[in-house]
Amino acid sequence: AMHEGHVVSTQELTEFLQPLFTQNSRNLVLFLQDRLSIDDFTYFSESYGNKTPFQNEILQSSPSSLVLPAVDCKATKYLLNFLQESGDWKLTNVTNLNVSQLEVNASNPNLLVVQLQPLASGLKEVSTLEAIAENDKIIGRVTMDLQERGIHFSVIYTAVRPSRISRRTDVVAELRRQLMAAEEEDSLSYPPLNVTIGNHTCILFYASNFSLKASSSVLIDLTNATFVTQNVDISASECSDSNTTLSLKYTKPVNGISSLEIRFLMTSKFYGGSARKWSTLDSVEIVQDGEKFAKFTVPAISAPAEYSFHCQLVGTSNLYPARLVPFDGEAKNWDVFISELQIQGFNIINNQFSYASDCTGFFTPGIWMGLVTSIILLWILTYGIHMIMQLTTNNRFDDPKGPALSVPQTE
């Protein structure tokens, strides 16, 4: 039993998971989501139309269970590495979410890592609900398939970081900036991908979520293959002082696609208007199976050549601050979602990102609203003062004891 407010540390999580390695059943299924909190189970428990999340009864039907309301981000960050080191597992990454062709040999210990689809931040609540409901169906399909085969297994459902950050009410305002900085540091769960030519690192690429969707149906999550296991071929990447190409090649990312290549084409040019060099991401290209070519133009990703570029959301949706615009008909068949993108293709020093130029401009909609409202109120105040200053008082007054005062019309 965990008392309220307790956050499970890495050592405590290791002790809690020890029974998984000592029991007879050595099959473990890890459902990994990008964001999840214990509050989501109550917040999204109600049904909205045909979307009803958290309907699986695995927790109630299992002979033993453990619910940890809060786990340290550092503990979940190295959970996969800890599981791999804890036994002679046969690791299987289930990224295509197609369990019909899942092969499990019950005679050997198996570790199945199922990458659930991301909960896109910054979108409407209904979109998050739909993603959770779809992930719940995926969990049901995988567990039901294993049960029908008579395979005994254990399940871990967790996420890389929490979706809801709870703060104590007695924390002073001066500490909030430090808390937010600590949360951002915890969210960086793996190092960025780097392209090194010779002894020089010429490209750095990072994203907390890197996913594609083909034909609006097949989800391809490339986050784990790109940054964690680095099961990606970057040998075709090119670097120069003026042009840089980041090439990411994947072999059989999902069933039905034998090869997939994603290219990020960047240039560095001198602009006389600003009297400095700027690096721009000109286009993103997707090559499927060596023949299907899709190209996206990128109108809003640029930074000074000495800086890196960062944006919270990059993709094909109109809601994202940095949008990938389809250039041809083939590109319309793809949906791209990249969260917490940071990329740098020029002037890398000490194998680290330089200062980041963010996609959010200095004048946000809130700042513009405040400025416009202030200008309107200032104009009303100025007009009122001007009208008051135009008022004049009488300089002559009528005396009731004397003759009537005559004021000519010219006055």
Side-chain angles (χ1 to χ4, degrees):
M2 309 301 298
H3 61 80
E4 183 181 1
H6 178 72
V7 179
V8 177
S9 63
T10 304
Q11 183 178 359
E12 291 174 331
L13 182 62
T14 303
E15 297 175 357
F16 286 141
L17 296 180
Q18 285 301 323
L20 295 177
F21 314 127
T22 57
Q23 60 185 3
N24 295 329
S25 174
R26 295 296 303 277
N27 298 306
L28 181 61
V29 184
L30 174 62
F31 292 101
L32 192 59
Q33 202 165 270
D34 62 336
R35 296 181 291 113
L36 182 68
S37 293
I38 194 68
D39 296 337
D40 293 336
F41 290 89
T42 54
Y43 187 79
F44 295 108
S45 59
E46 298 181 359
S47 301
Y48 295 84
N50 58 348
K51 302 298 181 182
T52 306
F54 305 125
Q55 293 300 302
N56 289 317
E57 299 181 355
I58 304 175
L59 198 64
Q60 291 78 9
S61 61
S62 62
S64 62
S65 61
L66 174 65
V67 178
L68 302 177
V71 181
D72 188 7
C73 291
K74 295 181 180 179
T76 57
K77 183 189 307 182
Y78 302 105
L79 176 60
L80 182 58
N81 293 334
F82 167 72
L83 294 177
Q84 291 177 329
E85 296 172 357
S86 301
D88 188 16
W89 304 94
K90 178 186 178 183
L91 179 63
T92 303
N93 289 300
V94 185
T95 56
N96 55 1
L97 308 180
N98 184 7
V99 300
S100 59
Q101 300 180 357
L102 185 62
E103 298 181 0
V104 179
N105 186 3
S107 60
N108 298 322
N110 296 277
L111 175 58
L112 307 179
V113 180
V114 182
Q115 296 283 348
L116 301 176
Q117 70 175 8
L119 311 183
S121 59
L123 301 182
K124 297 181 179 179
E125 179 179 309
V126 178
S127 301
T128 303
L129 177 68
E130 292 177 353
I132 292 180
E134 184 63 27
N135 289 340
D136 189 66
K137 294 179 182 178
I138 295 171
I139 295 174
R141 290 200 301 265
V142 174
T143 55
M144 186 63 67
D145 180 76
L146 295 177
Q147 288 177 351
E148 291 177 353
R149 300 185 192 182
I151 299 175
H152 298 282
F153 59 92
S154 300
V155 172
I156 298 178
Y157 181 31
T158 186
V160 178
R161 62 183 185 274
S163 59
R164 302 173 186 272
I165 305 298
S166 59
R167 294 184 174 90
R168 294 174 52 188
T169 57
D170 57 348
V171 176
V172 295
E174 288 78 5
L175 294 181
R176 285 194 175 181
R177 186 175 297 274
Q178 298 179 8
L179 289 175
M180 293 176 64
E183 291 163 12
E184 293 178 358
E185 181 181 355
D186 288 339
S187 64
L188 187 66
S189 55
Y190 37 74
L193 178 70
N194 66 80
V195 177
T196 302
I197 297 180
N199 297 326
H200 176 64
T201 299
C202 59
I203 303 176
L204 289 175
F205 174 64
Y206 173 82
S208 62
N209 196 319
F210 183 27
S211 304
L212 307 176
K213 184 175 286 188
S215 302
S216 300
S217 59
V218 181
L219 179 66
I220 309 174
D221 191 349
L222 303 175
T223 310
N224 185 70
T226 305
F227 303 103
V228 181
T229 62
Q230 294 192 357
N231 188 19
V232 56
D233 182 12
I234 58 176
S235 59
S237 301
E238 299 177 355
C239 297
S240 68
D241 294 336
S242 58
N243 295 279
T244 296
T245 300
L246 173 61
S247 174
L248 306 175
K249 293 183 179 180
Y250 306 89
T251 303
K252 293 183 178 180
V254 293
N255 287 339
I257 299 179
S258 59
S259 65
L260 185 67
E261 182 181 4
I262 303 174
R263 304 181 191 138
F264 295 83
L265 283 74
M266 296 172 284
T267 59
S268 177
K269 295 181 181 179
F270 179 83
Y271 292 86
S274 59
R276 70 184 308 170
K277 280 189 174 183
W278 287 76
S279 63
T280 58
L281 178 60
D282 297 329
S283 61
V284 176
E285 300 174 352
I286 300 177
V287 182
Q288 177 186 345
D289 299 330
E291 54 185 18
K292 294 183 179 181
F293 179 83
K295 182 178 180 180
F296 300 87
T297 58
V298 189
I301 295 184
S302 62
E306 299 82 7
Y307 295 170
S308 63
F309 177 83
H310 172 269
C311 195
Q312 185 178 7
L313 289 173
V314 177
T316 52
S317 174
N318 294 326
L319 301 176
Y320 298 161
R323 184 169 179 250
L324 305 181
V325 182
F327 182 77
D328 49 24
E330 185 65 29
K332 297 180 180 179
N333 298 327
W334 292 89
D335 293 326
V336 183
F337 173 77
I338 308 176
S339 62
E340 298 296 341
L341 169 70
Q342 188 167 2
I343 188 170
Q344 183 174 357
F346 305 95
N347 302 315
I348 298 175
I349 301 175
N350 296 329
N351 299 332
Q352 295 180 351
F353 279 116
S354 302
Y355 176 84
S357 175
D358 202 273
C359 61
T360 303
F362 179 78
F363 287 96
T364 61
I367 294 177
W368 279 115
M369 182 67 71
L371 288 176
V372 172
T373 305
S374 300
I375 292 174
I376 294 176
L377 293 177
L378 184 61
W379 180 84
I380 295 174
L381 178 63
T382 304
Y383 180 77
I385 295 176
H386 176 73
M387 295 302 294
I388 292 175
M389 294 176 64
Q390 296 299 318
L391 295 176
T392 59
T393 58
N394 296 331
N395 54 4
R396 288 182 292 176
F397 300 92
D398 194 7
D399 186 3
K401 296 181 180 181
L405 182 65
S406 176
V407 181
Q409 293 184 356
T410 56
E411 298 182 7

